[in-house]
């Protein structure tokens, strides 16, 4: 496929960058059979069309996030979860350390909670200090990055379903940017017939 050195959207001939029509965060998890023809989805855009295109991409990402319960956010924020019990222990310990005037029954309640938390009969000063600086965020074992989760959900429907995800991004690019200078052979379902003929619909999907 011949690609001219111009922005495929507006035709501008300078200051351009390469655009991944199917964003890398999804594409990188595609099965190897679908990665042979990546270059089809790498197009030249000038910097301003690129910025506008990214803006529209975020809309589709939000939509996919809703459809597939695949939250978008900082990896760190989603990988760690706030543990309410540890948070409670921490604030209880801090209250015990700093509050001279706590009513006796409240003090006893907080101490009892700490005894249970540490499975002990007596709460030492060291334990109190430790509890007062507990890390309240714990690792979220079920965390799956947004792109991977969306691709996983599609992979359950096999090759055809993954190709639909690919087509959806390509169609989204056409609808949102209405490019005037696409290479002639560029198409929304590029290579899909070939893939089906070569591997069949029942290709076992191995995600990268």
């Amino acid at each position: 496929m011949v690609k001219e050195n111009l922005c495929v959207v507006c035709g501008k001939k300078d200051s351009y960058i390469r655009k991944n029509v199917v964003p890398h965060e999804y594409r990188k998890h595609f099965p190897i059979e679908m990665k042979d023809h990546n270059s089809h989805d790498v197009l030249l855009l000038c910097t301003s069309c690129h910025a506008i295109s990214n803006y529209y991409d975020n809309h589709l990402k939000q939509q996919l996030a809703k459809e597939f319960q695949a939250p978008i956010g900082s990896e760190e924020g989603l990988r760690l979860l706030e543990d309410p019990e540890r948070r409670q222990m921490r604030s209880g310990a801090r209250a015990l350390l700093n509050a001279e005037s706590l009513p006796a029954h409240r003090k006893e309640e907080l101490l009892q909670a700490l005894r249970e938390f540490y499975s002990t009969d007596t709460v030492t000063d060291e334990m109190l200090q430790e509890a007062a600086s507990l890390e309240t965020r714990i690792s979220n074992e079920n965390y799956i990055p947004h792109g991977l989760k969306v691709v996983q959900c599609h992979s359950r429907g096999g090759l055809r379903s993954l190709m639909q995800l690919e087509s959806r991004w390509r169609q989204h690019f056409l609808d949102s940017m209405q490019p005037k200078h696409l290479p002639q052979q560029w198409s929304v379902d590029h290579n899909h017939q070939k893939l089906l003929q070569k591997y069949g619909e029942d290709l076992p999907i191995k995600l990268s």
Side-chain angles (χ1 to χ4, degrees):
M1 180 161 66
V2 184
K3 292 185 180 177
E4 288 183 76
N5 285 339
L6 49 76
C7 170
V8 299
V9 175
C10 69
K12 196 172 165 189
K13 291 197 175 192
D14 56 3
S15 72
Y16 37 65
I17 27 186
R18 297 205 171 275
K19 162 83 183 170
N20 289 302
V21 173
V22 180
H24 181 65
E25 65 183 296
Y26 307 98
R27 171 74 74 191
K28 68 180 178 186
H29 299 298
F30 277 17
I32 196 83
E33 295 83 356
M34 287 181 74
K35 283 187 172 167
D36 291 354
H37 298 270
N38 276 3
S39 63
H40 177 83
D41 290 315
V42 178
L43 299 171
L44 284 181
L45 263 68
C46 69
T47 46
S48 59
C49 287
H50 195 274
I52 294 165
S53 178
N54 285 348
Y55 167 78
Y56 285 120
D57 282 0
N58 282 327
H59 286 273
L60 180 49
K61 280 181 192 177
Q62 297 293 349
Q63 223 172 312
L64 289 166
K66 261 195 211 128
E67 282 174 41
F68 300 100
Q69 280 86 54
I72 300 169
S74 77
E75 300 270 315
E76 199 52 28
L78 296 166
R79 195 174 283 141
L80 293 171
L81 287 178
E82 188 70 31
D83 179 332
E85 188 190 12
R86 291 171 77 88
R87 180 181 232 175
Q88 213 176 346
M89 291 309 119
R90 185 175 70 181
S91 53
R94 286 177 180 177
L96 285 165
L97 285 169
N98 300 317
E100 308 299 299
S101 57
L102 267 184
H105 74 279
R106 183 72 187 119
K107 205 179 247 184
E108 183 46 41
E109 253 173 44
L110 294 173
L111 281 167
Q112 185 51 34
L114 283 163
R115 285 196 282 265
E116 284 171 19
F117 184 73
Y118 284 111
S119 313
T120 180
D121 295 333
T122 44
V123 174
T124 63
D125 280 350
E126 286 81 8
M127 276 181 198
L128 262 184
Q129 295 293 346
E130 185 192 316
S133 55
L134 268 182
E135 174 52 72
T136 61
R137 295 190 307 164
I138 52 166
S139 178
N140 175 7
E141 301 302 329
N142 302 320
Y143 169 68
I144 301 172
H146 164 79
L148 175 57
K149 183 146 191 209
V150 171
V151 173
Q152 275 179 350
C153 291
H154 281 83
S155 69
R156 289 177 203 138
L159 188 57
R160 215 176 256 285
S161 172
L162 279 168
M163 294 192 304
Q164 278 166 356
L165 177 63
E166 192 172 55
S167 295
R168 185 170 178 179
W169 274 104
R170 290 170 178 167
Q171 189 61 51
H172 159 78
F173 178 70
L174 293 184
D175 296 343
S176 58
M177 297 307 289
Q178 302 188 337
K180 311 270 186 295
H181 304 275
L182 275 176
Q184 266 186 328
Q185 306 89 319
W186 202 88
S187 77
V188 168
D189 46 15
H190 169 77
N191 211 40
H192 289 174
Q193 263 329 101
K194 270 191 212 158
L195 275 172
L196 285 170
Q197 281 162 4
K198 189 169 177 185
Y199 300 109
E201 290 202 25
D202 304 323
L203 171 77
I205 301 294
K206 285 196 187 77
L207 298 186
S208 307

